[in-house]
Amino acid sequence: MNNVIIEAQNLNKSFGDFQAVENLNLKINRGEVFGFLGPNGAGKTTSINMMVGLLHPTSGQVFIDGNEVQQIEKGTIGICPQELVLWDYLTCRESLMLMGEMYEVPGDKLKIKVDKLLDGLFLTEKANTVVSQLSGGMKRRLNLALALVHEPEIVVLDEPSEGLDPQSRRVLWNYIRSLRDDDGKTVILTTHLMDEADRLSDRIAIIDHGKLLRLDTPSNLKKETGEGDVIEMKISNPEKNQEIISAVGKMEEVESVLEVDGQINIRALDAVSKLPMIMDELEHLRVRVVDLSVRQNTLEDVFIDLTGTGLRE
Amino acid sequence: MKFISIAKKDFKELIRDCRGLVMILLFPMFFMLVFGFAFGGMGQSNQPHNLAVVNYDEGATMPITGEKVNFGNNLTKILEDSEYEDSDIHLFNVTLTTESDADKKLKGRDVDAALIIPENYSQSMIALITSIMQQPISTGTLTSQESPNTTSTLIIRGDTGYVGFGTSQGILTGVLEQYQDTLVTQTRNAVTGSSGVETKQYIQRKVEAVSGTGSFTTFDMLAPGMMVFAILLLTTTVATALTREVEKGTLTRLKLSNMTSFDLLFGGLLPWSLIAAVQVVILLIVAVLIGFHWQGGLNTLILALFVGIIGGISSISLGMIIAAFARNESQAGNLGTLISVPTSFLVGAFFQLPQVVIANVWGQPFQIYDLLPWTHILNALRSTLTFGGGWDTIAYNVGWAALLTVVLFIIGVVLFSRNRLRAEN
């Protein structure tokens, strides 16, 4: 069996003058959780929609298991959209049964599957409650269940934990992991939550302005941007930030220096041992440190490093 | 049988959305009630017409007997006493009043017409009688000098653009002519001493109502129109429901599944047609309660239901066409209203539009409005509910309605599938 389940070749999509996706090439492996990371409006949803056949690309092709996406059997893919896509006047069970019937899941098998989903996503108690009376978290979980009722091989989750409380998020994350580990599904996850991408994904594609910037495992990505830790510091006179950045940047021991939200982020291996040296340099420049902390390098640093700090809409 | 699942889903959504359902069912009912109260009594033949009489007649003295007479009072009495043929209902509700008050009443439509009797009315009537009396003894050269040359003019006044005036003045003219004729004949007979020859014996006039329409009111013609209006309003509801499915993304969910356009649209037809049928029943009940003269029995109801369902499918198809283009739910609602309300006027749900014949089909004139299936639906509903006609009387209309509905449905399915059920570009 071919290990690659989805392959996008030279995918382009433009809406008028706006190039939403530019020359996207990627391969997604069977049974992995593949994270799509990017700021708002980076082209994540557009890319996903093309990859599952909901949107025609302007040019390029998508192959699912070697077949063109438009030719594949319906039901290969299950999509959990970013918005809540539910029928307000149907109950949880009715919604799931409807989708199962639409995918032609045999009746007896469908009933078992629906019960299992309701149970797995903690919705059994609300099985016969109409959707309009569910809480936000329950609606999110039902939104996910609807994408899974026909047991698709590929599950696409578009920002699944948007607006969820930490408890619900935990339930969701565990469920996503079980999809991969227990059911062997391929999961495509789009998110702008670094934590989510980091914890769940086997590999991450970082996309911005419609272009694929990086594609690797979370640990490799973190390594690539700079191994080690991050020193975050605030100085009493921020107008000297640039002076410090250029001075510290010249130090051999330092991997990179960046200004983020008025504070200086210095990345260095074994940062704690480099701290005295950096402090010496600051003293030399006659600046006073107001706040200082040392933390581990995160995916967010990689992300900000690649996509910048400009606000996106 | 995925369309059955869709039908069940649509049905559940319909009945659980109580507010929406009440709106769909109550709105046309409200119209029916308003029209029932407004036009319930209008057009019925045994209805007295309101007439104001302004009598200026000063009276006169009969030439031979010297008897004091007032033909104005006489005429008023006759107008008050006149009754419909074979009925004890009066032709007129007479109000004796002044000219200025009569004008006021006409403007307020408190009366349908006013009759103004001039001051020399009696004198002119005597002049007429005198001239007749002189006829037999004259040598054939009746000159105006021989009789008192007095003419008078009876004025019938009213709003000429008002239907009530048209009817009243027609009847009034008839009564006046008859009064004058009778007077002339009687005088002539008195003079010649024989019954003479009456023109009436040779030529008689009789106004006859179309069989069964004798007791019809305007509302009887309007009630089926209200049903068609209600059926047409389904367009808006269907367009919004389908657009909601698009807007909320549930259609995308369904699109990814094995559901076909047929499943979605045919499945949707079932509950919506049911609503159309329910509309017909509810509106018929309301109409009957407020005075609709329902002809025929249960069989006409069954025919009406059948016709209503065809009309419903037409509206659903139109709803699909709108949903194929509307960007969001509120736009679909607005577009639906903007299209369905003028359409209900075009098909004649409220009043008949001027004839615009564009062709002749099987010897029947085909009007431009006949291109709309609801025109035939309305004709069929009227034929069966108002006139009590059976299948044979509505077959032609049902045939056209069905044919046009199929055309509209195909257009709806094609457009909706093309715009909404394929992958986007």
Side-chain angles (χ1 to χ4, degrees), chain B residues 9-10 13-14 17 20-21 23-24 232-251 272 315-316 318-337 340 416 420:
Chain B
K9 169 211 145 239
D10 284 351
E13 285 186 296
L14 250 172
D17 178 12
L21 188 65
M23 275 287 288
I24 303 172
L232 260 164
L233 281 182
L234 278 183
T235 303
T236 309
T237 328
V238 171
T240 21
L242 278 174
T243 313
R244 188 183 311 135
E245 200 101 53
V246 175
E247 211 183 352
K248 288 200 82 176
T250 42
L251 189 70
W272 288 110
S315 302
I316 296 162
L318 185 58
M320 280 179 208
I321 297 174
I322 294 170
F325 297 102
R327 286 177 199 279
N328 54 48
E329 215 180 311
S330 66
Q331 199 183 49
N334 291 339
L335 265 176
T337 315
S340 62
F416 191 80
R420 301 295 187 204

Side-chain angles (χ1 to χ4, degrees), chain B residues 99-100 102-103 106 112-116 155-159 165 172:
Chain B
E99 195 169 346
S100 61
D103 283 352
L106 279 174
D112 299 316
L115 176 69
I116 297 159
I155 299 169
I156 300 170
R157 189 178 285 171
D159 177 356
F165 173 66
L172 191 57

